[in-house]
Amino acid sequence: MSKKNDELQQETQGMDFLQSLPRRWVTTYIPLAIMVFVLLFPFYWMVITAFKPDNELLHQTGNPFWVIAPTLAHFKKLLFETQYPAWLLNTVIVSVVSTFVSLAASVFAAYAIERLRFQGSKQVGLGIFLAYLIPPSILFIPLAAIVFKLGLFDTRWALILTYPTFLIPFCTWLLMGYFRSIPYELEECALIDGATRWEILIKIILPLAVPGLISAGIFAFTLSWNEFIYALTFISSSEMKTVPVGIVTELVDGDVYHWGALMAGALLGSLPVAVVYSFFVEYYVSGMTGAVKE
């Protein structure tokens, strides 16, 4: 009894360490402030650069950390003098379709590996995850030959069909971890009641795995949205480019960087991903937590 009291007293003393204000500043507030500053300053710099007129950008007049005379000229140039609306549409279509295709394949793969219990399932799961570790810079070379032979070069289908090569492995691994956290007794009861595997997947597993599905979907959507190598290799015409490639290739003339338009394009391109994260952040954290359960 005395040992438990000593342990409880030690835990209480450990929590008392954070009670004084100076200690809270040193251990909590200052580290959090530094982390928030490091994470948000690039986004802040992107915002103020997008609204700065060219004379402030080129001649550094006034305070570099503030906008003296805000302007929308860079957004006007981006939206009406470039193919940015087409780039944004291409990015949305490619990202959404690739995400749904990857999620559908990952659900079937993860369910088969984790719940059907066939011989060698663990090795198959490990092999799928190891496939994710292959750098895209190596894969795009053989994929380029396939895309050319299929006549898909310079089309959205070139990206829609190649993006799942790096989306499916990680999404499968993530959903495997989440399916593992669902009690197997639920399936056994359903099988006893006469349910088929398809009914179990649709009516039991998927409703319980919604956080994991959202987490995998956000991951796949973000990777598709920001992907650069494949989009640069398989797309050549300006109107078919995605936002990351279009901004870099169309708004840089030799050694002249149109910083205002570049930052405006990056700002508009980052907003959809930020909105998706803000709406589903709780499901995302829950899905990532379920994926690492043993």
Side-chain angles (χ1 to χ4, degrees):
M1 187 70 178
S2 59
K3 184 178 180 181
K4 292 184 178 180
N5 291 334
D6 292 339
E7 292 177 354
L8 181 61
Q9 186 177 3
Q10 291 177 0
E11 292 178 0
T12 306
Q13 291 176 354
M15 295 301 296
D16 289 340
F17 178 79
L18 297 176
Q19 293 301 316
S20 62
L21 185 60
R23 288 174 176 174
R24 287 203 303 270
W25 272 100
V26 173
T27 59
T28 305
Y29 299 147
I30 293 179
L32 282 176
I34 294 174
M35 183 181 67
V36 171
F37 175 80
V38 171
L39 292 177
L40 294 184
F41 182 77
F43 187 79
Y44 170 77
W45 191 262
M46 178 174 63
V47 172
I48 64 173
T49 304
F51 288 97
K52 275 187 178 182
D54 287 334
N55 60 336
E56 292 186 34
L57 287 173
L58 300 178
H59 303 291
Q60 292 296 325
T61 58
N63 187 355
F65 299 101
W66 192 249
V67 184
I68 299 176
T71 180
L72 295 176
H74 302 308
F75 292 92
K76 180 181 178 181
K77 175 182 179 179
L78 184 71
L79 297 175
F80 298 103
E81 298 180 15
T82 67
Q83 297 283 344
Y84 189 84
W87 305 340
L88 192 60
L89 178 62
N90 294 331
T91 308
V92 171
I93 294 175
V94 170
S95 300
V96 171
V97 177
S98 299
T99 298
F100 276 100
V101 171
S102 301
L103 276 182
S106 300
V107 165
F108 292 128
Y111 181 78
I113 294 171
E114 279 299 323
R115 314 302 283 196
L116 298 185
R117 298 179 178 178
F118 60 89
Q119 186 176 4
S121 59
K122 291 185 178 180
Q123 290 75 11
V124 173
L126 179 61
I128 290 176
F129 179 68
L130 291 177
Y132 172 73
L133 302 180
I134 300 176
S137 56
I138 297 177
L139 285 178
F140 87 90
I141 298 175
L143 285 176
I146 297 175
V147 168
F148 273 103
K149 289 181 180 179
L150 294 178
L152 301 176
F153 180 75
D154 202 22
T155 65
R156 296 191 188 107
W157 285 107
L159 304 181
I160 291 174
L161 296 178
T162 54
Y163 282 2
T165 59
F166 60 85
L167 296 179
I168 291 177
F170 187 84
C171 290
T172 301
W173 176 79
L174 188 66
L175 292 175
M176 283 170 55
Y178 204 87
F179 287 168
R180 193 179 303 125
S181 66
I182 300 175
Y184 192 77
E185 289 77 9
L186 296 175
E187 290 189 49
E188 292 178 340
C189 294
L191 289 172
I192 292 174
D193 291 337
T196 63
R197 285 289 182 180
W198 176 256
E199 292 174 337
I200 292 173
L201 176 63
I202 298 299
K203 298 181 179 179
I204 297 178
I205 300 299
L206 292 186
L208 293 175
V210 168
L213 293 173
I214 292 178
S215 178
I218 291 176
F219 174 84
F221 180 81
T222 304
L223 277 188
S224 301
W225 188 276
N226 297 323
E227 202 283 324
F228 184 82
I229 295 179
Y230 289 172
L232 178 65
T233 305
F234 301 149
I235 303 296
S236 61
S237 59
S238 177
E239 65 274 6
M240 297 303 298
K241 292 181 179 180
T242 58
V243 170
V245 176
I247 291 176
V248 174
T249 57
E250 301 290 334
L251 297 178
V252 178
D253 298 330
D255 58 349
V256 178
Y257 292 79
H258 302 279
W259 288 114
L262 280 168
M263 293 299 103
L267 177 61
L268 293 180
S270 63
L271 289 179
V273 177
V275 171
V276 170
Y277 270 100
S278 64
F279 273 105
F280 300 108
V281 62
E282 294 182 1
Y283 292 101
Y284 181 74
V285 174
S286 176
M288 293 299 291
T289 303
V292 297
K293 287 182 180 179
E294 294 294 338

